[in-house]
mmCIF file with all atom_site columns, all heavy atoms in Angstrom:
data_model
loop_
_atom_site.group_PDB
_atom_site.id
_atom_site.type_symbol
_atom_site.label_atom_id
_atom_site.label_alt_id
_atom_site.label_comp_id
_atom_site.label_asym_id
_atom_site.label_entity_id
_atom_site.label_seq_id
_atom_site.pdbx_PDB_ins_code
_atom_site.Cartn_x
_atom_site.Cartn_y
_atom_site.Cartn_z
_atom_site.occupancy
_atom_site.B_iso_or_equiv
_atom_site.pdbx_formal_charge
_atom_site.auth_seq_id
_atom_site.auth_comp_id
_atom_site.auth_asym_id
_atom_site.auth_atom_id
_atom_site.pdbx_PDB_model_num
ATOM 1   N N   . VAL A 1 17  ? 67.731 119.353 21.445 1.00 43.00 ? 55  VAL A N   1
ATOM 2   C CA  . VAL A 1 17  ? 66.568 119.734 22.058 1.00 43.00 ? 55  VAL A CA  1
ATOM 3   C C   . VAL A 1 17  ? 67.067 120.943 23.070 1.00 43.00 ? 55  VAL A C   1
ATOM 4   O O   . VAL A 1 17  ? 66.355 121.976 23.152 1.00 43.00 ? 55  VAL A O   1
ATOM 5   C CB  . VAL A 1 17  ? 65.902 118.660 22.868 1.00 43.00 ? 55  VAL A CB  1
ATOM 6   C CG1 . VAL A 1 17  ? 64.709 119.203 23.867 1.00 43.00 ? 55  VAL A CG1 1
ATOM 7   C CG2 . VAL A 1 17  ? 65.281 117.666 21.945 1.00 43.00 ? 55  VAL A CG2 1
ATOM 8   N N   . THR A 1 18  ? 68.085 120.714 23.766 1.00 38.00 ? 56  THR A N   1
ATOM 9   C CA  . THR A 1 18  ? 68.505 121.803 24.693 1.00 38.00 ? 56  THR A CA  1
ATOM 10  C C   . THR A 1 18  ? 68.938 123.004 23.888 1.00 38.00 ? 56  THR A C   1
ATOM 11  O O   . THR A 1 18  ? 68.570 124.148 24.334 1.00 38.00 ? 56  THR A O   1
ATOM 12  C CB  . THR A 1 18  ? 69.802 121.192 25.485 1.00 38.00 ? 56  THR A CB  1
ATOM 13  O OG1 . THR A 1 18  ? 69.339 120.157 26.136 1.00 38.00 ? 56  THR A OG1 1
ATOM 14  C CG2 . THR A 1 18  ? 70.229 122.226 26.460 1.00 38.00 ? 56  THR A CG2 1
ATOM 15  N N   . GLY A 1 21  ? 65.836 124.865 22.758 1.00 39.00 ? 59  GLY A N   1
ATOM 16  C CA  . GLY A 1 21  ? 65.143 125.470 23.820 1.00 39.00 ? 59  GLY A CA  1
ATOM 17  C C   . GLY A 1 21  ? 65.796 126.802 24.267 1.00 39.00 ? 59  GLY A C   1
ATOM 18  O O   . GLY A 1 21  ? 65.222 127.707 24.554 1.00 39.00 ? 59  GLY A O   1
ATOM 19  N N   . ALA A 1 25  ? 63.860 130.300 23.782 1.00 35.00 ? 63  ALA A N   1
ATOM 20  C CA  . ALA A 1 25  ? 63.319 130.714 25.034 1.00 35.00 ? 63  ALA A CA  1
ATOM 21  C C   . ALA A 1 25  ? 63.481 132.156 25.203 1.00 35.00 ? 63  ALA A C   1
ATOM 22  O O   . ALA A 1 25  ? 64.550 132.814 24.739 1.00 35.00 ? 63  ALA A O   1
ATOM 23  C CB  . ALA A 1 25  ? 63.781 129.968 26.231 1.00 35.00 ? 63  ALA A CB  1
ATOM 24  N N   . LEU A 1 37  ? 67.473 130.774 32.911 1.00 37.00 ? 75  LEU A N   1
ATOM 25  C CA  . LEU A 1 37  ? 67.234 129.931 31.786 1.00 37.00 ? 75  LEU A CA  1
ATOM 26  C C   . LEU A 1 37  ? 65.938 129.083 32.026 1.00 37.00 ? 75  LEU A C   1
ATOM 27  O O   . LEU A 1 37  ? 65.525 128.706 33.251 1.00 37.00 ? 75  LEU A O   1
ATOM 28  C CB  . LEU A 1 37  ? 68.382 128.962 31.596 1.00 37.00 ? 75  LEU A CB  1
ATOM 29  C CG  . LEU A 1 37  ? 69.766 129.568 31.189 1.00 37.00 ? 75  LEU A CG  1
ATOM 30  C CD1 . LEU A 1 37  ? 70.808 128.483 31.103 1.00 37.00 ? 75  LEU A CD1 1
ATOM 31  C CD2 . LEU A 1 37  ? 69.597 130.378 29.952 1.00 37.00 ? 75  LEU A CD2 1
ATOM 32  N N   . PRO A 1 38  ? 65.107 128.958 31.062 1.00 40.00 ? 76  PRO A N   1
ATOM 33  C CA  . PRO A 1 38  ? 63.784 128.124 31.267 1.00 40.00 ? 76  PRO A CA  1
ATOM 34  C C   . PRO A 1 38  ? 64.091 126.623 31.541 1.00 40.00 ? 76  PRO A C   1
ATOM 35  O O   . PRO A 1 38  ? 65.122 126.059 31.124 1.00 40.00 ? 76  PRO A O   1
ATOM 36  C CB  . PRO A 1 38  ? 63.101 128.333 29.962 1.00 40.00 ? 76  PRO A CB  1
ATOM 37  C CG  . PRO A 1 38  ? 64.200 128.327 28.956 1.00 40.00 ? 76  PRO A CG  1
ATOM 38  C CD  . PRO A 1 38  ? 65.405 129.157 29.682 1.00 40.00 ? 76  PRO A CD  1
ATOM 39  N N   . VAL A 1 39  ? 63.199 126.095 32.301 1.00 41.00 ? 77  VAL A N   1
ATOM 40  C CA  . VAL A 1 39  ? 63.160 124.638 32.375 1.00 41.00 ? 77  VAL A CA  1
ATOM 41  C C   . VAL A 1 39  ? 62.401 123.981 31.282 1.00 41.00 ? 77  VAL A C   1
ATOM 42  O O   . VAL A 1 39  ? 61.281 124.353 31.118 1.00 41.00 ? 77  VAL A O   1
ATOM 43  C CB  . VAL A 1 39  ? 62.544 124.261 33.851 1.00 41.00 ? 77  VAL A CB  1
ATOM 44  C CG1 . VAL A 1 39  ? 62.448 122.754 33.907 1.00 41.00 ? 77  VAL A CG1 1
ATOM 45  C CG2 . VAL A 1 39  ? 63.356 124.778 34.973 1.00 41.00 ? 77  VAL A CG2 1
ATOM 46  N N   . LEU A 1 40  ? 63.128 123.222 30.433 1.00 45.00 ? 78  LEU A N   1
ATOM 47  C CA  . LEU A 1 40  ? 62.482 122.613 29.289 1.00 45.00 ? 78  LEU A CA  1
ATOM 48  C C   . LEU A 1 40  ? 61.514 121.475 29.696 1.00 45.00 ? 78  LEU A C   1
ATOM 49  O O   . LEU A 1 40  ? 61.977 120.606 30.376 1.00 45.00 ? 78  LEU A O   1
ATOM 50  C CB  . LEU A 1 40  ? 63.521 122.030 28.356 1.00 45.00 ? 78  LEU A CB  1
ATOM 51  C CG  . LEU A 1 40  ? 64.514 123.144 27.836 1.00 45.00 ? 78  LEU A CG  1
ATOM 52  C CD1 . LEU A 1 40  ? 65.475 122.535 26.885 1.00 45.00 ? 78  LEU A CD1 1
ATOM 53  C CD2 . LEU A 1 40  ? 63.787 124.218 27.053 1.00 45.00 ? 78  LEU A CD2 1
ATOM 54  N N   . GLY A 1 41  ? 60.346 121.657 29.259 1.00 51.00 ? 79  GLY A N   1
ATOM 55  C CA  . GLY A 1 41  ? 59.311 120.538 29.526 1.00 51.00 ? 79  GLY A CA  1
ATOM 56  C C   . GLY A 1 41  ? 59.088 119.715 28.216 1.00 51.00 ? 79  GLY A C   1
ATOM 57  O O   . GLY A 1 41  ? 59.660 119.981 27.265 1.00 51.00 ? 79  GLY A O   1
ATOM 58  N N   . PRO A 1 42  ? 58.154 118.663 28.381 1.00 59.00 ? 80  PRO A N   1
ATOM 59  C CA  . PRO A 1 42  ? 57.892 117.855 27.275 1.00 59.00 ? 80  PRO A CA  1
ATOM 60  C C   . PRO A 1 42  ? 57.193 118.774 26.187 1.00 59.00 ? 80  PRO A C   1
ATOM 61  O O   . PRO A 1 42  ? 56.407 119.600 26.309 1.00 59.00 ? 80  PRO A O   1
ATOM 62  C CB  . PRO A 1 42  ? 56.797 116.892 27.723 1.00 59.00 ? 80  PRO A CB  1
ATOM 63  C CG  . PRO A 1 42  ? 56.965 116.862 29.219 1.00 59.00 ? 80  PRO A CG  1
ATOM 64  C CD  . PRO A 1 42  ? 57.397 118.331 29.536 1.00 59.00 ? 80  PRO A CD  1
ATOM 65  N N   . PRO A 1 43  ? 57.643 118.331 24.831 1.00 69.00 ? 81  PRO A N   1
ATOM 66  C CA  . PRO A 1 43  ? 56.957 119.108 23.673 1.00 69.00 ? 81  PRO A CA  1
ATOM 67  C C   . PRO A 1 43  ? 55.459 118.810 23.644 1.00 69.00 ? 81  PRO A C   1
ATOM 68  O O   . PRO A 1 43  ? 54.961 117.844 23.987 1.00 69.00 ? 81  PRO A O   1
ATOM 69  C CB  . PRO A 1 43  ? 57.709 118.453 22.500 1.00 69.00 ? 81  PRO A CB  1
ATOM 70  C CG  . PRO A 1 43  ? 58.230 117.271 23.016 1.00 69.00 ? 81  PRO A CG  1
ATOM 71  C CD  . PRO A 1 43  ? 58.473 117.395 24.365 1.00 69.00 ? 81  PRO A CD  1
ATOM 72  N N   . ASP A 1 44  ? 54.785 119.694 22.926 1.00 81.00 ? 82  ASP A N   1
ATOM 73  C CA  . ASP A 1 44  ? 53.403 119.531 22.791 1.00 81.00 ? 82  ASP A CA  1
ATOM 74  C C   . ASP A 1 44  ? 53.073 118.695 21.536 1.00 81.00 ? 82  ASP A C   1
ATOM 75  O O   . ASP A 1 44  ? 53.018 119.253 20.422 1.00 81.00 ? 82  ASP A O   1
ATOM 76  C CB  . ASP A 1 44  ? 52.642 120.937 22.624 1.00 81.00 ? 82  ASP A CB  1
ATOM 77  C CG  . ASP A 1 44  ? 51.144 120.780 22.585 1.00 81.00 ? 82  ASP A CG  1
ATOM 78  O OD1 . ASP A 1 44  ? 50.677 119.679 22.863 1.00 81.00 ? 82  ASP A OD1 1
ATOM 79  O OD2 . ASP A 1 44  ? 50.481 121.821 22.299 1.00 81.00 ? 82  ASP A OD2 1
ATOM 80  N N   . VAL A 1 45  ? 53.109 117.399 21.674 1.00 89.00 ? 83  VAL A N   1
ATOM 81  C CA  . VAL A 1 45  ? 52.975 116.494 20.488 1.00 89.00 ? 83  VAL A CA  1
ATOM 82  C C   . VAL A 1 45  ? 51.791 115.607 20.672 1.00 89.00 ? 83  VAL A C   1
ATOM 83  O O   . VAL A 1 45  ? 51.531 114.963 21.708 1.00 89.00 ? 83  VAL A O   1
ATOM 84  C CB  . VAL A 1 45  ? 54.260 115.563 20.374 1.00 89.00 ? 83  VAL A CB  1
ATOM 85  C CG1 . VAL A 1 45  ? 54.091 114.635 19.140 1.00 89.00 ? 83  VAL A CG1 1
ATOM 86  C CG2 . VAL A 1 45  ? 55.494 116.487 20.204 1.00 89.00 ? 83  VAL A CG2 1
ATOM 87  N N   . GLN A 1 137 ? 61.494 110.629 22.393 1.00 90.00 ? 175 GLN A N   1
ATOM 88  C CA  . GLN A 1 137 ? 61.904 111.981 22.034 1.00 90.00 ? 175 GLN A CA  1
ATOM 89  C C   . GLN A 1 137 ? 61.761 112.185 20.532 1.00 90.00 ? 175 GLN A C   1
ATOM 90  O O   . GLN A 1 137 ? 62.561 112.810 19.865 1.00 90.00 ? 175 GLN A O   1
ATOM 91  C CB  . GLN A 1 137 ? 63.415 112.201 22.429 1.00 90.00 ? 175 GLN A CB  1
ATOM 92  C CG  . GLN A 1 137 ? 63.565 112.527 23.877 1.00 90.00 ? 175 GLN A CG  1
ATOM 93  C CD  . GLN A 1 137 ? 64.895 112.983 24.376 1.00 90.00 ? 175 GLN A CD  1
ATOM 94  O OE1 . GLN A 1 137 ? 65.714 112.141 24.535 1.00 90.00 ? 175 GLN A OE1 1
ATOM 95  N NE2 . GLN A 1 137 ? 64.960 114.272 24.436 1.00 90.00 ? 175 GLN A NE2 1
ATOM 96  N N   . VAL A 1 139 ? 59.346 114.034 17.841 1.00 90.00 ? 177 VAL A N   1
ATOM 97  C CA  . VAL A 1 139 ? 58.364 115.157 17.770 1.00 90.00 ? 177 VAL A CA  1
ATOM 98  C C   . VAL A 1 139 ? 57.542 115.297 16.446 1.00 90.00 ? 177 VAL A C   1
ATOM 99  O O   . VAL A 1 139 ? 56.806 116.171 16.294 1.00 90.00 ? 177 VAL A O   1
ATOM 100 C CB  . VAL A 1 139 ? 58.969 116.551 18.257 1.00 90.00 ? 177 VAL A CB  1
ATOM 101 C CG1 . VAL A 1 139 ? 59.512 116.445 19.653 1.00 90.00 ? 177 VAL A CG1 1
ATOM 102 C CG2 . VAL A 1 139 ? 60.179 116.798 17.234 1.00 90.00 ? 177 VAL A CG2 1
ATOM 103 N N   . ASP A 1 160 ? 56.751 108.623 23.971 1.00 93.00 ? 198 ASP A N   1
ATOM 104 C CA  . ASP A 1 160 ? 57.455 109.378 24.935 1.00 93.00 ? 198 ASP A CA  1
ATOM 105 C C   . ASP A 1 160 ? 58.109 110.575 24.466 1.00 93.00 ? 198 ASP A C   1
ATOM 106 O O   . ASP A 1 160 ? 59.381 110.586 24.360 1.00 93.00 ? 198 ASP A O   1
ATOM 107 C CB  . ASP A 1 160 ? 58.295 108.539 25.813 1.00 93.00 ? 198 ASP A CB  1
ATOM 108 C CG  . ASP A 1 160 ? 58.885 109.239 26.966 1.00 93.00 ? 198 ASP A CG  1
ATOM 109 O OD1 . ASP A 1 160 ? 58.411 110.261 27.361 1.00 93.00 ? 198 ASP A OD1 1
ATOM 110 O OD2 . ASP A 1 160 ? 59.923 108.753 27.621 1.00 93.00 ? 198 ASP A OD2 1
ATOM 111 N N   . PRO A 1 161 ? 57.378 111.401 23.824 1.00 91.00 ? 199 PRO A N   1
ATOM 112 C CA  . PRO A 1 161 ? 57.976 112.577 23.138 1.00 91.00 ? 199 PRO A CA  1
ATOM 113 C C   . PRO A 1 161 ? 58.998 113.417 23.982 1.00 91.00 ? 199 PRO A C   1
ATOM 114 O O   . PRO A 1 161 ? 59.867 114.156 23.509 1.00 91.00 ? 199 PRO A O   1
ATOM 115 C CB  . PRO A 1 161 ? 56.966 113.360 22.467 1.00 91.00 ? 199 PRO A CB  1
ATOM 116 C CG  . PRO A 1 161 ? 55.723 112.987 23.267 1.00 91.00 ? 199 PRO A CG  1
ATOM 117 C CD  . PRO A 1 161 ? 55.920 111.605 23.608 1.00 91.00 ? 199 PRO A CD  1
ATOM 118 N N   . GLY A 1 162 ? 58.590 113.543 25.279 1.00 89.00 ? 200 GLY A N   1
ATOM 119 C CA  . GLY A 1 162 ? 59.414 114.359 26.177 1.00 89.00 ? 200 GLY A CA  1
ATOM 120 C C   . GLY A 1 162 ? 60.599 113.626 26.747 1.00 89.00 ? 200 GLY A C   1
ATOM 121 O O   . GLY A 1 162 ? 61.317 114.307 27.548 1.00 89.00 ? 200 GLY A O   1
ATOM 122 N N   . GLY A 1 163 ? 60.752 112.396 26.500 1.00 89.00 ? 201 GLY A N   1
ATOM 123 C CA  . GLY A 1 163 ? 61.855 111.569 27.070 1.00 89.00 ? 201 GLY A CA  1
ATOM 124 C C   . GLY A 1 163 ? 61.666 111.447 28.580 1.00 89.00 ? 201 GLY A C   1
ATOM 125 O O   . GLY A 1 163 ? 62.760 111.448 29.271 1.00 89.00 ? 201 GLY A O   1
ATOM 126 N N   . SER A 1 164 ? 60.511 111.243 29.122 1.00 90.00 ? 202 SER A N   1
ATOM 127 C CA  . SER A 1 164 ? 60.244 111.151 30.463 1.00 90.00 ? 202 SER A CA  1
ATOM 128 C C   . SER A 1 164 ? 60.760 109.793 31.071 1.00 90.00 ? 202 SER A C   1
ATOM 129 O O   . SER A 1 164 ? 60.939 109.793 32.373 1.00 90.00 ? 202 SER A O   1
ATOM 130 C CB  . SER A 1 164 ? 58.785 111.196 30.837 1.00 90.00 ? 202 SER A CB  1
ATOM 131 O OG  . SER A 1 164 ? 58.114 110.274 30.134 1.00 90.00 ? 202 SER A OG  1
#
Side-chain angles (χ1 to χ4, degrees):
V55 171
T56 301
L75 297 178
V77 176
L78 299 179
D82 185 13
V83 177
Q175 287 191 278
V177 295
D198 185 17
S202 56

